[in-house]
Each structure stands twice: as structure tokens, then as C-alpha cells.
Amino acid sequence: MKLLGIMFSFCMMFNSIAQELQYPELNVTPRASDRIKLELKDEKQNLDSSFLPIQLSAVATLVAGGMSSSEIKEDKEDEGGDKAPLLAMGVGLGWLGATVWASMKYRPYKTAYNKLKGFKGTSLRDRLTLERLAEEEINNLRSIGKKMRYLSVASNLIASGVLLENVEPKTDANMMAATSALVSLAPLFFKTHWEKVGNEQAKYKKKIFSPVAIIPVTHEPFQMKKAVGLNLMYQF
């Protein structure tokens, strides 16, 4: 009887854990809604640092375009090569303007917080809705940050490549265009703050399952069962 009681207690404990793991959004620390609140305080500072690699790339492209205006190959002028400096300066100014504006005016975490603070319910359904909507906001920003980096690399690299094709070789303008092409890759190596927050939140959520990962599971000859209870297992 005592053994049966112990086994019953273990089953109840594992069943309780399984029920909690159905809603990892409510068990992660900090929760997604709390993380959005935490990000409000230093949002401007974090944006400034996030955009530095993009701005450095934009400045290099802008300077390369300005230096190349009088160094276009003669045989390329009739083919529209004289427009290459304008293209480079336009790309550089565009990214500088966009990132400066975002640093000064764009506050996505504040917007997300204002959108979510209207949820006042205390039921499981209400709390789950709040956390899932908060996760959507965090993940959307992570996606925007990643797209910005790759779009910056592509546009600045193309503009620099067009300059290299149309500028006289062995000139300062040509060297600057080559430098601009190299610097345009900088955003590849520095994630935006939005991406870091999204990745960290996903990592915290994944850790919710760690205690269960070491629970012994039942093996069969050709497969591993996955079920709620003693045989519970989550894979990532």
C-alpha cells in the first residue's frame, strides 16, 4: 500500500508538471509582457546602439558616392555610369535618415505596452491571451530587426558594387568604394537589440522544459513514445 501511495504521488506530481507545461508562456521568467515593460526604460539608448553598424555602413556609402562624382570612367558616362554616385549617396542618406528618425521617434516597446495594458482579466484564458500577444510583439520586432540588417547589407553592397564598376581604378574614389563594400557587411555581425530580446525570450521559454528532459522515458524496440505522465518528453 505504501508503494502504491508513493507511485500515486509521483504520478500526480508529473501530471501537475505536464499541465503547467501546456502553457509555457505563463511559466517563463520574465514573462513576455513583463519583458516589454522592462524594455521601456532604456528603449532610446538601445535603439541608438542597435543602428550604429547600419549607420556606419550608410556613411561609408555616402562618402564613397560623394568622392566618385568626378572619377567616373569616360566610357561609362554614356551608359549611365554617371548616375552611380547619386545612387550611392541616395542609399547612404536613406539609411541615415531612416535610422536617425527611428532613434528619435520610433518606440515600438512603448506602443506594444500601451496596446497590451488594456487587458485586465485574471482568468487563465485572459493571462494566456496577454502573454501570447506580448510574444507576438517581441517576435515581430525581432523579425523587423533582422530584415533591416539584411536589407542594409544588400542595398549598400549593391551601391558600392555599382561604384566600383564605374569609377576609375587606382584612385581614392575607387579605394573608398571598395572600403564601402567591405563596411556594408558590418550589420551581418551585430544583431539589433530587438533580435537579442526575441532570442533571449525564446531561450527562457525553452528552459521551462529542462527539468522534464531528464525524466526517464519508456522505450520500445523501434520507437520512443511521447505521452503525458511518466513518459512525458519534449523535443526541440
Side-chain angles (χ1 to χ4, degrees):
M1 291 296 293
K2 186 175 181 180
L3 180 59
L4 288 175
I6 294 175
M7 291 180 65
F8 178 76
S9 298
F10 270 107
C11 288
M12 291 299 294
M13 180 183 69
F14 290 136
N15 185 61
S16 176
I17 294 174
Q19 292 298 323
E20 290 184 3
L21 290 177
Q22 290 180 16
Y23 307 111
E25 300 91 340
L26 301 179
N27 293 281
V28 67
T29 302
R31 292 182 179 181
S33 58
D34 294 331
R35 186 60 185 264
I36 289 176
K37 293 178 186 177
L38 292 172
E39 292 300 324
L40 291 176
K41 182 179 179 182
D42 299 319
E43 187 165 19
K44 183 183 185 305
Q45 179 180 341
N46 291 330
L47 278 181
D48 291 341
S49 60
S50 288
F51 294 146
L52 281 178
I54 295 176
Q55 291 172 339
L56 177 63
S57 176
V59 168
T61 304
L62 177 61
V63 172
M67 292 178 62
S68 302
S69 57
S70 60
E71 298 290 348
I72 302 298
K73 297 175 183 176
E74 291 185 6
D75 60 330
K76 293 289 185 178
E77 290 184 359
D78 295 336
E79 300 175 6
D82 56 336
K83 301 295 192 300
L86 293 177
L87 172 65
M89 288 188 287
V91 170
L93 282 173
W95 279 111
L96 277 177
T99 52
V100 168
W101 174 84
S103 296
M104 295 176 63
K105 300 291 185 180
Y106 191 44
R107 299 292 180 269
Y109 287 118
K110 183 177 181 180
T111 301
Y113 172 75
N114 290 333
K115 184 189 301 185
L116 297 173
K117 69 180 182 181
F119 285 83
K120 302 295 184 181
T122 57
S123 68
L124 176 62
R125 183 184 181 87
D126 291 333
R127 289 186 290 126
L128 195 57
T129 299
L130 174 63
E131 296 310 319
R132 288 183 175 175
L133 290 176
E135 283 190 355
E136 285 182 9
E137 296 291 336
I138 290 174
N139 291 333
N140 285 340
L141 284 175
R142 174 171 59 177
S143 178
I144 290 172
K146 185 175 182 179
K147 289 175 182 176
M148 280 186 64
R149 287 194 300 117
Y150 283 99
L151 185 58
S152 167
V153 170
S155 57
N156 283 286
L157 188 59
I158 290 173
S160 300
V162 172
L163 283 178
L164 284 170
E165 184 180 353
N166 291 280
V167 172
E168 290 287 353
K170 298 181 181 179
T171 60
D172 291 340
N174 185 272
M175 290 293 295
M176 188 62 210
T179 302
S180 173
L182 183 62
V183 175
S184 69
L185 301 177
L188 288 177
F189 305 100
F190 300 94
K191 289 183 172 63
T192 63
H193 185 70
W194 298 332
E195 291 175 88
K196 293 176 183 177
V197 170
N199 292 340
E200 287 173 358
Q201 200 64 27
K203 183 169 64 176
Y204 296 153
K205 186 175 179 180
K206 184 176 181 179
K207 286 182 178 179
I208 295 297
F209 299 95
S210 298
V212 182
I214 61 173
I215 296 174
V217 295
T218 300
H219 292 268
E220 291 193 0
F222 301 103
Q223 65 179 354
M224 180 180 290
K225 282 191 172 183
K226 301 175 185 178
V228 176
L230 288 176
N231 297 328
L232 178 65
M233 180 177 178
Y234 283 83
Q235 291 181 328
F236 289 86

